[in-house]
């Protein structure tokens, strides 16, 4: 089966959106990982939750840390539930493949969302997100433990959903080419293939400046 278009993935998530609403979805999912990511930041200004869904748990965490938070999702049903939970948050109903980021962000989260994009869209979207980081900003997102690019469609959730990944070597090369650094890579659900990365936009400091800042160079 060929990869789904983002609009087709949206239709699938419209059908199952209620699974992420209420108390049935694990509230701790991804939270410790985001706390780790936030610890790398020097400033906590604007944050964006991509594929924000309906649970609101990541938005709640970002709000507790003082961020001005926005959410974006392609599923209309997910967004309806998200808006009911957080009426004062700005939400965007958009396809991240086509949507121009309205600003730079200190933190961008793509938790269990970016991997639903077709393989052909993985690199351009990743480049867009890393370009959308403020200097020193953080991108945290999930992918899969694969060594080469791959994509598939499955119905493990009862509806067809696409998955696309670049593979670890290509991902790390892409991060470097975008002026970013991989600060953390972890198999957080081992032996499952679930993998998450914390990526930081390089600041304007030189290597020596960073060393002095950390007390490594006199």
């Amino acid at each position: 089966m060929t990869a789904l278009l983002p609009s087709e993935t949206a239709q699938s998530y419209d059908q199952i959106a209620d699974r992420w609403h209420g108390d049935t979805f694990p509230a701790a999912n991804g939270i410790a990982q985001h706390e780790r990511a936030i610890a790398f930041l020097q400033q906590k200004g604007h944050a964006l939750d991509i594929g924000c869904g309906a649970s609101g748990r990541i938005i709640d965490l970002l709000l507790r840390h003082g961020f001005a938070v926005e959410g974006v999702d392609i599923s209309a049903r997910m967004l309806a539930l998200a808006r009911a939970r957080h009426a004062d948050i700005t939400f965007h109903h958009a396809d991240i493949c086509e949507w121009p980021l309205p600003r730079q962000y200190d933190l961008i989260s793509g938790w269990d969302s970016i991997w639903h994009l077709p393989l052909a869209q993985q690199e351009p979207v990743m480049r867009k997100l890393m370009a959308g980081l403020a200097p020193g900003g953080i991108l945290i997102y999930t992918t899969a433990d694969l060594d080469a690019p791959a994509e598939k469609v499955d119905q493990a959730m009862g509806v067809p959903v696409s998955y696309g990944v670049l593979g670890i070597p290509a991902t790390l090369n892409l991060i470097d080419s975008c002026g970013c650094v991989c600060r953390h890579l972890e198999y957080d659900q081992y032996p499952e293939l679930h993998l998450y990365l914390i990526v930081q936009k390089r600041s304007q400091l030189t290597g020596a400046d960073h060393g002095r800042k950390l007390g490594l160079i006199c």
Side-chain angles (χ1 to χ4, degrees):
M1 186 176 183
T2 58
L4 301 180
L5 297 173
S7 59
E8 294 173 314
T9 297
Q11 293 170 11
S12 290
Y13 268 98
D14 283 346
Q15 297 176 56
I16 58 175
D18 288 334
R19 297 183 190 177
W20 285 264
H21 188 60
D23 298 328
T24 58
F25 188 79
N29 180 276
I31 297 302
Q33 295 88 331
H34 280 77
E35 291 280 13
R36 182 186 292 271
I38 291 168
F40 283 97
L41 287 172
Q42 295 297 313
Q43 62 181 23
K44 302 173 185 177
H46 293 274
L48 176 66
D49 186 3
I50 299 172
C52 58
S55 80
R57 69 196 190 285
I58 292 172
I59 288 176
D60 284 336
L61 172 68
L62 296 174
L63 290 172
R64 288 197 297 272
H65 278 275
F67 288 95
V69 187
E70 299 168 49
V72 58
D73 205 298
I74 197 171
S75 164
R77 178 59 180 159
M78 284 285 202
L79 277 185
L81 295 171
R83 287 180 173 128
R85 183 182 291 271
H86 290 108
D88 55 341
I89 295 295
T90 297
F91 290 102
H92 308 273
H93 184 207
D95 176 358
I96 193 62
C97 300
E98 307 293 338
W99 185 58
L101 271 62
R103 66 170 74 248
Q104 286 193 317
Y105 294 91
D106 297 300
L107 186 140
I108 298 176
S109 171
W111 193 261
D112 289 354
S113 60
I114 298 171
W115 64 9
H116 289 313
L117 302 179
L119 179 58
Q121 292 293 333
Q122 290 288 325
E123 181 173 337
V125 168
M126 292 302 300
R127 288 188 179 277
K128 178 197 296 188
L129 299 183
M130 285 185 275
L133 291 173
I138 288 290
L139 167 66
I140 174 173
Y141 73 104
T142 49
T143 183
D145 170 27
L146 296 176
D147 292 341
E151 65 181 345
K152 70 172 185 175
V153 177
D154 71 29
Q155 297 200 39
M157 292 189 288
V159 292
V161 177
S162 277
Y163 296 88
V165 298
L166 293 172
I168 295 173
T171 294
L172 294 178
N173 287 335
L174 178 60
I175 290 169
D176 181 65
S177 74
C178 289
C180 296
V181 178
C182 179
R183 297 296 185 198
H184 189 84
L185 183 156
E186 181 179 343
Y187 300 82
D188 62 327
Q189 298 178 18
Y190 189 83
E192 296 181 17
L193 301 183
H194 195 271
L195 188 73
Y196 87 94
L197 293 88
I198 298 173
V199 176
Q200 187 167 35
K201 186 78 166 281
R202 294 190 184 100
S203 71
Q204 301 304 311
L205 296 178
T206 66
D209 289 334
H210 277 297
R212 292 187 182 94
K213 184 177 179 181
L214 295 173
L216 302 177
I217 299 174
C218 297

